[in-house]
Amino acid sequence: MSAPKKVVLAYSGGLDTSIILKWLQTEYGCEVVTFTADLGQGEELEPAREKALMLGIKPENIHIVDVREEFVRDFVFPMFRANAVYEGLYLLGTSIARPLISQHLVRIAHETGADAVAHGATGKGNDQVRFELSAYALDPSIKVIAPWREWDLTSRTRLLEFAEANQIPISKDKRGEAPFSVDANLLHTSSEGKVLENPGDEAPDYVAQRIVAVEDAPDTPEFIEVGFERGDAVSINGEALSPATILARLNDYGARHGIGLLDFVENRFVGMKSRGVYETPGGTILLEAHRGIEQITLDSGAGHLKDSIMPRYAELIYNGFWFSPEREALQALIDKTQEHVTGMVKLKLYKGSVRTVARWSDHSLYSEAHVTFEDDAGAYDQKDAAGFIRLNALRLKLIATRNARVAGK
Amino acid sequence: MSAPKKVVLAYSGGLDTSIILKWLQTEYGCEVVTFTADLGQGEELEPAREKALMLGIKPENIHIVDVREEFVRDFVFPMFRANAVYEGLYLLGTSIARPLISQHLVRIAHETGADAVAHGATGKGNDQVRFELSAYALDPSIKVIAPWREWDLTSRTRLLEFAEANQIPISKDKRGEAPFSVDANLLHTSSEGKVLENPGDEAPDYVAQRIVAVEDAPDTPEFIEVGFERGDAVSINGEALSPATILARLNDYGARHGIGLLDFVENRFVGMKSRGVYETPGGTILLEAHRGIEQITLDSGAGHLKDSIMPRYAELIYNGFWFSPEREALQALIDKTQEHVTGMVKLKLYKGSVRTVARWSDHSLYSEAHVTFEDDAGAYDQKDAAGFIRLNALRLKLIATRNARVAGK
Amino acid sequence: MSAPKKVVLAYSGGLDTSIILKWLQTEYGCEVVTFTADLGQGEELEPAREKALMLGIKPENIHIVDVREEFVRDFVFPMFRANAVYEGLYLLGTSIARPLISQHLVRIAHETGADAVAHGATGKGNDQVRFELSAYALDPSIKVIAPWREWDLTSRTRLLEFAEANQIPISKDKRGEAPFSVDANLLHTSSEGKVLENPGDEAPDYVAQRIVAVEDAPDTPEFIEVGFERGDAVSINGEALSPATILARLNDYGARHGIGLLDFVENRFVGMKSRGVYETPGGTILLEAHRGIEQITLDSGAGHLKDSIMPRYAELIYNGFWFSPEREALQALIDKTQEHVTGMVKLKLYKGSVRTVARWSDHSLYSEAHVTFEDDAGAYDQKDAAGFIRLNALRLKLIATRNARVAGK
Amino acid sequence: MSAPKKVVLAYSGGLDTSIILKWLQTEYGCEVVTFTADLGQGEELEPAREKALMLGIKPENIHIVDVREEFVRDFVFPMFRANAVYEGLYLLGTSIARPLISQHLVRIAHETGADAVAHGATGKGNDQVRFELSAYALDPSIKVIAPWREWDLTSRTRLLEFAEANQIPISKDKRGEAPFSVDANLLHTSSEGKVLENPGDEAPDYVAQRIVAVEDAPDTPEFIEVGFERGDAVSINGEALSPATILARLNDYGARHGIGLLDFVENRFVGMKSRGVYETPGGTILLEAHRGIEQITLDSGAGHLKDSIMPRYAELIYNGFWFSPEREALQALIDKTQEHVTGMVKLKLYKGSVRTVARWSDHSLYSEAHVTFEDDAGAYDQKDAAGFIRLNALRLKLIATRNARVAGK
């Protein structure tokens, strides 16, 4: 790979990406363009602009974009249509944000004539894979620079020395090492590393930052109603809301009631296990609500099909293959099933748990006439069940007969 | 089908199966053998013996069996090795008990020379299918009698008239109709019908009978440690326990903390949707614990494979195909993956939720040496990730190049 | 079910459906509308009109429709996009025609105000299921009449007596029983029953009617080129052709070269095994050609996904669930993968076999630059493979280390 | 990776692996142990011994092993139980031999105290992955040396120079470059590269080396009977034979009749497409025969399950994951299904095609009593089909009703 001339960097404004910024300038002598996204991580972005300016980035090379609506509408919601859960429990909050960031990095590279993009993910994790697969899928000729895999700043001490040597301001709380590493966006906050590295030790209470401790959650339950159209949440308690607003509101509800905390050991794509603490307050409510509305609007044929391909879909997102033909083909399948996933779900929120308690829809497939224990006025002939069972049993009978014959009985 | 001569009836001692008992005697003039199982449903079984005697069953034709250990060891535990969940949420508590009952019905039929078995499931539900497929798979020549599909006692009034005409005692609370229908065993209690028939109405509080209301659960969390060997729970808080005892203890913990309540609309095998309220206190804890121990002991290859076939496995159990070649083949796959699923899980129980907070094992695949944010002493070469990503990206690049070429760019 | 007033019958003009026609008139006293489709079965349809008239059908109640293009375009081609094969070998030639017929029956019922449809499939086979599931899916209130399951004409003798009693002409060759049963359309000809009922006996030579015996096929191979666009065949040897014309031409090629004969024992949806002889000359070529073009235009991600869901897709078609949400969702997935399946395939036809010998496309993903054994000018860095392998091996190493540790080595 | 001290090399005796042998000695100054396997590739192995001696290998360091029975019994047959086919067509002849070779390399390393193994696969192909994943899975601390990824002998000229400089004899036909690259074992011969690199060009006739041209195959068909026990072939024409002998005989039959030639473009695990010509004469017959016996002995439930996981199983073998928990778990599933796959298949071999024409078994599930077009004496009640269909249709009716309601009809 020839040296890059102009690089678009995913820049948070924090110490680490500031070091990367400087390192790119010094190592490659290249022009740096910064991209800072408001993904709902809950931090001010203007300081990132000031810091970039201070580090010598030209004003026209600083790109700060509010991508919250896009994030929820084009990434989070499509994923939730699938009820995607990785390894039974993880709602993919970090995974789903990476392709969006890469998409903007590549877009800005094209707009600014940059030939490379750079990110601050380490060489041990999944995020490097997600950033880079997305970038290559969107522009096969783009260069991707992953400083953590390249440089020799392999200890905290050397990083701080580099920062000092390059006039990068270091806030006091960054002098010491953080007790764990954090990623946040509108969907979730993840914590991993350091104090969490032994999965046999309980996570300290201070790890959870976003969700109130269940013990401190309100002593009375709260009920909310979430409205859906074609698989996507569109309203809360009757108020129509934009995608990002809905997720933000659900986050408020979930955080207040202690909902969505997960302590989890997962299998990384790069082959090792890692332990994380995930806080997904709104997403946890959204998943339950989506399942609730599917219960009455989705047929078993489509539903079971979705369930059977979901693990693969989730794995693709986890592994960074959002921009791949197979994810897109699975999305076509999933979206096809959501045409009638429209209606209302009532949920009970209380002390860390969310439960569907009622659901109704004009698109409902539920037929009280068929299921009733009362007289069904001929909707269903119970005698049909006899034939249904006998034909389903036929092959089992033939097997039993064969097995007995072979066993010499 | 020629008339049965001797029938083994799944007999609870309740009004409905007592009516069936009498109806079999009068309709077919056949000898009736009763089978009453202690599945952990929490009812005395001796009254069933007395009632059967009173209805004219010979003492030697009355079979009362405690099947709790067998139920948990041979049915519940194998199923939980798969993390089986039907339609995302239902733990299959009723489904998994039916093949066991059929197995005993057929065994007793063989031992007593009976040519038929009978059950009290209606023609609209799944249980008829589960009972009958199991029976036919175990004895292809057995006759199965399903009185609810055959008789004309189609209203409560006619049933009571038949009971009175046949000197079947009717307890006062059975005069009126129950507000919903209940099934219970050591794994769960299900409620459906009547007041639950509109899934848009919240279930009345009195429906949940087994689990304390979350609002009434203790205000302080409780922590327990569950030990596993080869995928099965074997101890609680260090005390080795039999399968049924473990499940019973977990039920106590779960019930006290309000854990395991589900309000659910499901797709029945016979083609309609139905709504049920399920209480699975111990099973809900067990599922979480099993996932917890798998997190550190199961490799991603085996784990993702299991996840991908789980929906099909759960569907087979739900539909009544426990005794089928495909369930057995899937079980062989699942059991193969559990060889190292051995270790300890610590769980937090509180107000309706159960969460894994720590897990450890001699069989752990978790490698702190690899995952650490600290210096890993060469366990992992971050530069390997570059090649890993580039080869994973190669096909995506070729696609992007092709697509651009075709688009005439 | 109340008695039908007006019935649309799938009418071939043959003896059996003529008897059904008359039986419907006499049994139900209902008006009969006939639907006769040209599916490419290679029979004249005008005699069916004359016979219907003779049996008292009003001219305006006789519907004869050439559905060949529709059949291939809307049913056969979408199915071949999936490379659908049932149980490894069967190309679903009968299965795929049934939903089309039901669609027309229901359409004509709506246009003529009929309240029922009727078909001539027996109660043991798959076709009854396919006809009826399709009809119910298209009109949930339609009545379906299956005379073979209802009447008492259960022997050849009684059928002929009924025919004679009702002035239905019986051609001489129908006096005796056919040695096997045949179904034919543009995609295939199937033969089953009678002389074929023992799968341990070879099928007599006279069973194959459509394909020349391989021994009699030409002694010199023939080469053809099939062009594809978005997964569908669009040309042969450079000549653009309509869907039905393409399939007809491929049938000619295949039949001449002895291609597409299958002797097969399959699992019917109704639970029994049956043996059939299938002749699918053009379809066999089309499948090979489609695989050939996918080889260079389809990415492995999309390709392996398609392969993994194909068995389920084929099973759905075989079982009669063409008009189901799950088939439609799978179709959306499949169609999404076909966007670039465009190009040319060259095939060698010879003595019963068809083989792809070359394929090329503007949409090709094949990169000679990458794969070459020669110097690749930097397209691929072989050192990347080392990292790729090491990270893929990481979990296997961790497993081996764990297993050795546990084994006490 | 520290320098290896003693290396076990997969040594064919050919020019390339002789160069590797010498390069290992000179590059690393390490002791070399050779492993030469008789996999049925049809070459004399004693010349490899002489050449190794001549290149300075100690006699006790030369390991020549006949692994043919082991290869077929423990690798080929288990794989054929699954009907494994990669991307619809490829029988995995190269893929399945690699783990066996690695298993012996690691075994010999342990026996001789070697700390490394080496192979002659290039950095672009799948074989490097297969060799190395297998080696690491069997010994996580083993070093693997892949000279083609390391050295600078990147052109034919330099290779020959190195050979000459190191007194490695070069046979005349090796002076020029081979027109394509070949791998052979008892299961297949593969050819790729050079003249085959453009998939739009037909492969020259001289590429196929093992199978007679179909035009030259006998003009009269030959019939053989293959016997199976529990999924494995055990006899031909009534003669019990060992696994390797059976495959060798089937190879003779297939080669003579021109059976098993495949021109194929596949997706390599490393991300690129490649084109190969595969000759699998005996394997092609074996696959057809295995399918034939499964048709009558395998239930649809087990059969469809097998079909659905087969693509994943084949992909695992292709990608080199033979020694992985997920392949082993799938094998457990597959083997479970084969318990009754016992019986006889009669096949017709003719001019490139093989077809099952009859099959019979004591373990047959085929029931002529059920399937017959004649009177079945009550084995099957056709009226059962009505209930079967109505309950299968119920959800489709509910969907149609819902859709019509929503559409405002």
Side-chain angles (χ1 to χ4, degrees), chain D residues 103-160:
Chain D
Q103 194 172 38
H104 280 276
L105 291 174
V106 170
R107 174 185 60 76
I108 294 170
H110 291 177
E111 290 172 9
T112 62
D115 59 336
V117 298
H119 63 78
T122 78
K124 286 188 169 181
N126 296 301
D127 285 334
Q128 56 175 343
V129 189
R130 296 165 188 154
F131 280 128
E132 299 180 27
L133 293 183
S134 294
Y136 291 134
L138 295 169
D139 181 351
S141 63
I142 201 89
K143 294 185 183 82
V144 181
I145 304 172
W148 284 98
R149 294 202 306 259
E150 296 188 23
W151 67 26
D152 55 0
L153 307 179
T154 52
S155 71
R156 197 74 198 159
T157 309
R158 300 191 64 173
L159 273 175
L160 295 177

Side-chain angles (χ1 to χ4, degrees), chain A residues 15 36 45 55 85 99 101 143 156 160 166 212 216 225 240 261 284 300 319 334 336 352 378 401 405 407:
Chain A
L15 178 61
T36 307
L45 302 188
L55 291 166
V85 178
I101 294 170
K143 293 186 185 80
R156 196 74 200 159
L160 294 177
N166 289 278
V212 73
D216 301 332
E225 293 179 8
L261 181 65
T284 301
S300 67
N319 287 354
I334 291 159
K336 179 72 184 167
T401 303
R405 186 178 72 235

Side-chain angles (χ1 to χ4, degrees), chain C residues 87 123-124 197 202 215 263 273 295 298 304 315 326 346 348 366 370 372-373 380 382 395, chain D residues 87 123-124 197 202 215 273 295 298 304 315 326 346 348 366 370 372-373 380 382 395:
Chain C
E87 298 187 341
K124 285 189 168 179
E197 277 182 10
E202 284 181 60
E215 293 85 346
D263 185 308
K273 288 180 180 291
Q295 285 171 21
L298 196 62
H304 293 191
E315 185 186 51
E326 62 271 29
K346 182 172 181 181
K348 177 179 178 179
Y366 183 90
H370 282 85
T372 184
F373 276 59
Y380 179 96
Q382 299 207 21
R395 67 182 178 92
Chain D
E87 299 187 342
K124 286 188 169 181
E197 276 182 10
E202 284 181 61
E215 292 86 347
K273 288 181 180 291
Q295 284 170 20
L298 197 62
H304 293 191
E315 185 185 50
E326 61 271 30
K346 183 174 182 180
K348 177 180 179 179
Y366 183 89
H370 281 86
T372 185
F373 275 60
Y380 180 96
Q382 300 207 21
R395 68 181 177 93

Side-chain angles (χ1 to χ4, degrees), chain A residues 134-213:
Chain A
S134 293
Y136 290 134
L138 295 169
D139 181 350
S141 64
I142 201 91
K143 293 186 185 80
V144 181
I145 303 172
W148 285 96
R149 293 201 308 259
E150 296 188 24
W151 66 26
D152 54 0
L153 307 177
T154 53
S155 72
R156 196 74 200 159
T157 309
R158 299 190 66 172
L159 274 175
L160 294 177
E161 286 169 2
F162 181 94
E164 282 174 354
N166 289 278
Q167 282 88 42
I168 299 171
I170 306 170
S171 64
K172 266 200 184 134
D173 63 330
K174 294 288 179 183
R175 287 276 160 198
E177 291 198 47
F180 51 90
S181 168
V182 174
D183 176 66
N185 61 45
L186 199 54
L187 181 54
H188 91 156
T189 297
S190 71
S191 303
E192 57 177 1
K194 309 289 174 60
V195 301
L196 297 171
E197 277 182 12
N198 184 344
D201 291 340
E202 284 181 61
D205 286 345
Y206 59 76
V207 171
Q209 306 155 61
R210 189 158 173 172
I211 298 176
V212 73

Side-chain angles (χ1 to χ4, degrees), chain C residues 95-112:
Chain C
S95 321
I96 192 61
R98 299 322 190 188
L100 168 63
I101 294 171
S102 278
Q103 195 172 38
H104 279 277
L105 292 174
V106 171
R107 174 186 59 77
I108 295 169
H110 291 176
E111 291 173 7
T112 62

